[in-house]
Each structure stands twice: as C-alpha cells, then as structure tokens.
Amino acid sequence: MGIIQTIKNLIKRSQYRMTTESLASITDHPKIAVTSAEYRRINENLRYYQSNAGKVTYTNTDGMTKQREMTVLPIARTASKKIASLVFNEQASIKLDDEQANEFIQETLKNDRFNKNFERYLESCLALGGLAMRPYVDNGRVRVSFIQAPVFLPLQSSTQDISSAAIVTKTIKASGQKNIYYTLIEFHEWANDGKYVITNELYRSDNQNVIGDRVPLAEIYEDLEEQVELNGLTRPLFSYLKPPGMNNKDINSPLGLSIFDNAKSTIDFINTTYDEFKWEVKMGQRRVAVPENLTETRMVNHDGDVQLVKRFDTEQNVYLRLSTNDMDGGSITDLTTAIRADDYIKTINEGLSLFEMLLGVSAGMFTFDGQSLKTATEVVSENSDTYQMRNSIVSLVEQSLKELIISICELGSLYGLYSGTIPQMEKIAINLDDGVFTDKNNELDYWTKALASGIVSKAHAIQKAFNMSEADAKNMIQAINQETMDTANSQRSQQDIDIYGE
C-alpha cells in the first residue's frame, strides 16, 4: 500500500472517531422512516412464514410443569407459495419493442436465471409484505439482487412509491472464541441537484441483537466506497413491490402488508386445533391394564439351562401394569379412549374456510371435501375471487418488472454495458400466462366478435387475444396479408396471368 493511500485511510479512520454513532436497533437511525412497531410486525410475519409457533407449556399428572414443541400446519407458507405460483411461473415472458434493448434484457435475465429466482422471491413478498429488486454490476454483467422485507427500510416516500430506502446486509466474522456481528447499511437517496447518491455505513457489535458502533468500511469491505454518485438515473435504482391493499396496521406506512397479516388469529386457531388433535391421537393410542402377576418374569431350569420367560413384549407400550388389588377382579381391562377425529377435522376445515375468506380467495382453495375433482370450466367459473386477487397482484408485478427493466438499462448504460435507448413503460410487454383461469377459446371468440363488429382494430384484437406487444401484432398482420397475397397468386389461372401479368 502506498504512502498516500495510507494517509487517506488514517484520515477516514479519524473521521469515524469524530462521528461515532451507536445503534441499538436499525430503526434508531435518524434517516430511517420506519417505526419500531412496523419493523416488529415484519419480523412477526417471518415467524408465521417459518411456522415457528414456539412451545406449549402444560402440567403432567405428577403436577410438574413441562414444555413440548407445538405441532403446526405450515398454512402461511402454503398460502404464499400457492398464490405466488398462480401469479408468476417460469413460462412468463418479457419483451421490448426496441430490438437492441430487448436483446440486452433477454441476455441479462437469462444469465441471471431471473424467472426462476423471481418466482421464489415473490412467495417471500406475499408472505412478508414486500420485496425490492436492485440491479448491480458484477464481472461485466448486470445482475439482479432481491432484497426481502426485513432488510428493506424506506427513508422517504410519496403517496405513490418509495423514492429513497436503506438496504441492510448482515455479516458474521469469527474473532477467537466469539463471533463479531457486522451490519452494513446502504442508503439510496436523491441529492438536491438530482444526483442519485449511495452511502454506505458499517456497524459492529458483539451482540447479534444489537447493531452496535459505527466502524470503518475497511474492516471487512476493502473496496467499498463510503459514497457513490450516479448521474443519469430517472428513477430509484431499486424497484419495490408490495401486495395489493391498504396497510391498515399503519395507514401512514409506505410498506405493504402480508397476505395473511389480518388472518394471524385464524392461523393461531388452526394451529392450536391441529396441535390438540395430534396430541389427542397420541394420548388415545391403545392402553390395556394388565394384572401385575401376568407381567412377572420367571427363571426356568430346562435341561440345565437357565431361560427367561416373558409374559409380554417389553418393547410394547400398550400394556399398563397395575397391582392386582387396584384392578376389578384382576382381569385384563381395555383403557383406550375414543379419538374425536371427526370433530377436530370439521373444526380445522372451518378454520381453513375462514382463512380463505380473510385472504380473499375462493372457497375450497385450501379445504377439500374429498368428493370430486374440478374441471377446468368449473375452476374458471368458481374461482372468481381468486382470479380477482390474482389480477390485483399481477398488475403490481407487471409495473414493478417494468420499472426494473428501465433500471437495468440505465445502470447498463452508466457502466458502458448497454448503448441503446432507455425503453419507455408502454413499450415493455409483460406476459404472465393465466391459462389456469382463462378459457382461451372464449377469449378468442370474444375478440373475434369485437373485431367483426368494427369496434376494435385488428392490431388491438390480436394484442388482447394473444397477449402480444403492439409491434408483434403489426408484424403478424403483415405476415397474414403476405400469406393472403401468396395464396391468391397461387390460385390464379394461367390465362389470368397472361392477361394481367403476375
């Protein structure tokens, strides 16, 4: 390391000593505009998503207090996964009208396996209430980083969107016999002159539950700058996606709610009932009271050998040995109690039905009557609530993906990886296949009739019927016209060609 660089590092370290900050919690930072209650709510959503219900405390027959793990249904994760798969899958496509921009985006998304990753992280978005996507440059390529709700905190926001945010990254480093916990806070802000500024702050702590004291970046990030200014960005470098609906937990918060945020008490009810059901099954296993004299073992001398004779298998837990005096008549007695399976199953299904209502999906999405499978037509007609919920999420996903595409192109342009024009929102076509709900024949029939009646153009009808961009629809019209002309020419008689020419 050169002398000049050494002096610069010493100056940086002295600046940190003069501006030392200490944070107990991430929400204590003066720049972060998230209340501690909102931050706790997000972490509580994570606990439900992980199916972490804690322990059950009970008193046994000896009067001793015991604890056991609660048995739960992963209903929060199941709901998030199922709805995410209805909204987005690997068959989804993104196309741009501009050929150069489309080629750059397709190559970027393909190399980063974006479709596969986004389907997984969309599940996290629905479960935790939000997801941010930030493009970055790595080894000459633009890649996309997914920032989940617990580590994405807004700084400033308008009524429409979050314009500035903090992204938190945690790192653990071993130091002797103990761990050191580092927290990197990456601030994305707009300066007064319109420049986009990224500021990095590093904090260190011996306690994983405390953010700790601010330290120089060089402790673990040698090449990371304290501040970077980017010119030419028209929007934040990140794109924030949240589930539809108002945040009724904090109406002033720009953060979204989990799809099950208002159904947590119902999830608790389902889990409690399921845990009691399983415990009853365990307690209801077969029990037989056996007189003590029937369980005794004897030593029998047979031909000089000593042999142990057992009345019952010692590995069995079915038999309960009691003193003959404690038993009526000294006979074998069945102590097994009936399991209330039907009552518990009915109660769990009632809870699941309530959960479906609170989520806003159609009845039967999580419950099953065991009678019959649904046909495709019945799914389309009966899943109207699920379809409406999906459409609400789809519109937000499409908007967020379009914003991400623009940010990828702008970042690629700043680093010389892309030389084309920055695409406009309306020139980006997002195709999220909804074949599960949409009857393609009915869709085609609808737009064919609309075209025949003259109320829509051919290009518009093709766009809607086949979910194409405007450019692709016009190309299809040209191909159809050319095929029509070729067919007409092939059907002309030789005499007609001789008179009128080819």
Side-chain angles (χ1 to χ4, degrees):
M1 183 183 294
I3 297 177
I4 297 178
Q5 185 62 42
T6 303
I7 294 174
K8 288 182 178 180
N9 291 341
L10 289 173
I11 293 174
K12 286 183 179 180
R13 286 180 171 82
S14 65
Q15 289 175 341
Y16 273 103
R17 291 192 186 98
M18 290 186 294
T19 60
T20 298
E21 298 173 0
S22 182
L23 300 175
S25 171
I26 192 67
T27 56
D28 291 340
H29 199 288
K31 285 186 176 182
I32 293 177
V34 177
T35 63
S36 56
E38 274 286 89
Y39 191 65
R40 286 195 301 269
R41 178 184 63 80
I42 294 172
N43 283 280
E44 186 182 46
N45 290 339
L46 178 60
R47 183 175 64 82
Y48 276 84
Y49 180 55
Q50 294 172 333
S51 298
N52 180 14
K55 296 180 180 294
V56 176
T57 302
Y58 66 99
T59 304
N60 66 5
T61 53
D62 294 330
M64 299 175 62
T65 300
K66 296 285 186 179
Q67 283 191 330
R68 61 175 175 83
E69 292 291 336
M70 185 176 186
T71 304
V72 299
L73 289 171
I75 186 65
R77 198 262 172 167
T78 300
S80 304
K81 185 177 186 298
K82 192 164 188 176
I83 294 175
S85 65
L86 293 176
V87 173
F88 191 92
N89 54 61
E90 290 193 52
Q91 273 61 52
S93 63
I94 301 173
K95 292 184 179 179
L96 288 77
D97 286 349
D98 185 271
E99 184 176 348
Q100 185 178 0
N102 185 64
E103 182 179 351
F104 174 69
I105 290 299
Q106 299 303 329
E107 186 69 18
T108 299
L109 298 182
K110 178 182 177 181
N111 291 334
D112 206 35
R113 295 184 296 176
F114 178 81
N115 280 19
K116 181 178 180 180
N117 291 326
F118 182 71
E119 182 180 358
R120 292 191 301 113
Y121 280 100
L122 180 59
E123 179 184 324
S124 170
C125 171
L126 300 178
L128 305 182
L131 175 72
M133 296 173 285
R134 176 175 66 87
Y136 67 98
V137 176
D138 179 35
N139 292 328
R141 287 183 177 178
V142 178
R143 305 190 65 181
V144 179
S145 173
F146 294 92
I147 301 108
Q148 300 182 77
V151 293
F152 180 83
L153 306 168
L155 305 183
Q156 297 175 3
S157 64
S158 64
T159 56
Q160 302 295 327
D161 204 356
I162 295 175
S163 58
S164 301
I167 299 171
V168 180
T169 303
K170 292 183 178 291
T171 305
I172 302 176
K173 189 176 181 180
S175 177
Q177 298 297 321
K178 63 179 182 178
N179 291 330
I180 303 298
Y181 301 92
Y182 288 95
T183 302
L184 176 67
I185 309 178
E186 180 182 314
F187 295 97
H188 290 244
E189 303 171 276
W190 291 99
N192 293 331
D193 56 1
K195 292 181 180 179
Y196 192 78
V197 181
I198 301 176
T199 307
N200 296 298
E201 295 182 4
L202 182 65
Y203 293 83
R204 169 178 169 161
S205 174
D206 296 334
N207 185 346
Q208 62 177 336
N209 298 317
V210 176
I211 300 301
D213 299 323
R214 188 174 175 182
V215 295
L217 295 172
E219 280 202 19
I220 57 173
Y221 300 104
E222 289 287 346
D223 301 326
L224 190 62
E225 296 290 335
E226 292 178 29
Q227 192 174 89
V228 177
E229 294 183 355
L230 300 176
N231 294 314
L233 296 182
T234 60
R235 60 172 320 283
L237 197 56
F238 58 85
S239 175
Y240 178 64
L241 170 65
K242 61 182 179 180
M246 182 68 179
N247 184 343
N248 66 318
K249 303 298 181 180
D250 184 350
I251 59 174
N252 296 315
S253 173
L255 298 175
L257 287 184
S258 163
I259 58 172
F260 55 78
D261 235 313
N262 288 293
K264 291 176 182 175
S265 60
T266 303
I267 295 176
D268 292 338
F269 169 74
I270 295 170
N271 286 335
T272 301
T273 307
Y274 180 67
D275 179 73
E276 291 178 359
F277 182 30
K278 184 177 179 181
W279 191 251
E280 176 148 330
V281 172
K282 181 178 180 180
M283 294 295 100
Q285 63 180 327
R286 193 166 188 82
R287 288 286 188 273
V288 177
V290 181
E292 187 176 20
N293 64 313
L294 294 182
T295 63
E296 293 177 351
T297 59
R298 293 182 298 161
M299 307 300 294
V300 178
N301 192 344
H302 181 67
D303 296 334
D305 296 328
V306 178
Q307 188 176 12
L308 181 64
V309 177
K310 300 178 182 178
R311 298 294 185 182
F312 293 99
D313 186 358
T314 56
E315 296 299 321
Q316 290 280 352
N317 63 349
V318 172
Y319 305 104
L320 179 65
R321 185 172 63 180
L322 295 178
S323 171
T324 307
N325 298 328
D326 297 333
M327 299 187 63
D328 185 13
S331 60
I332 297 176
T333 307
D334 191 346
L335 301 179
T336 308
T337 57
I339 299 173
R340 299 168 293 171
D342 291 340
D343 293 334
Y344 272 111
I345 292 173
K346 183 178 179 180
T347 304
I348 291 173
N349 272 325
E350 288 296 327
L352 291 173
S353 297
L354 179 59
F355 182 71
E356 291 167 346
M357 185 270 291
L358 294 173
L359 252 65
V361 298
S362 299
M365 186 170 183
F366 299 107
T367 54
F368 178 62
D369 57 13
Q371 295 177 1
S372 63
L373 296 175
K374 305 293 185 182
T375 64
T377 304
E378 288 173 332
V379 170
V380 172
S381 60
E382 294 181 7
N383 279 8
S384 57
D385 288 341
T386 305
Y387 186 45
Q388 290 175 13
M389 180 187 191
R390 178 190 182 274
N391 283 346
S392 298
I393 300 173
V394 162
S395 62
L396 295 176
V397 169
E398 290 179 346
Q399 177 68 21
S400 183
L401 290 178
K402 289 179 179 180
E403 293 173 352
L404 176 64
I405 296 304
I406 293 175
S407 293
I408 289 175
C409 290
E410 289 185 342
L411 186 64
S413 180
L414 285 176
Y415 283 85
L417 303 175
Y418 172 66
S419 58
T421 58
I422 305 301
Q424 298 177 347
M425 286 278 187
E426 58 272 14
K427 300 298 182 180
I428 304 173
I430 311 291
N431 179 16
L432 305 181
D433 186 21
D434 58 351
V436 175
F437 297 97
T438 305
D439 189 322
K440 297 296 184 182
N441 291 327
N442 290 339
E443 188 82 0
L444 180 60
D445 184 61
Y446 174 84
W447 289 108
T448 300
K449 290 179 179 179
L451 178 62
S453 65
I455 60 176
V456 297
S457 66
K458 183 180 289 187
H460 184 76
I462 291 175
Q463 279 183 263
K464 293 297 184 180
F466 299 100
N467 199 11
M468 288 184 171
S469 65
E470 183 179 356
D472 288 341
K474 290 180 179 178
N475 290 336
M476 179 174 282
I477 293 174
Q478 291 179 359
I480 293 172
N481 293 338
Q482 185 61 45
E483 288 179 0
T484 303
M485 293 176 60
D486 293 342
T487 302
N489 289 334
S490 65
Q491 294 176 352
R492 293 174 62 191
S493 64
Q494 186 61 43
Q495 182 180 3
D496 183 62
I497 294 174
D498 294 338
I499 295 175
Y500 297 103
E502 295 184 1

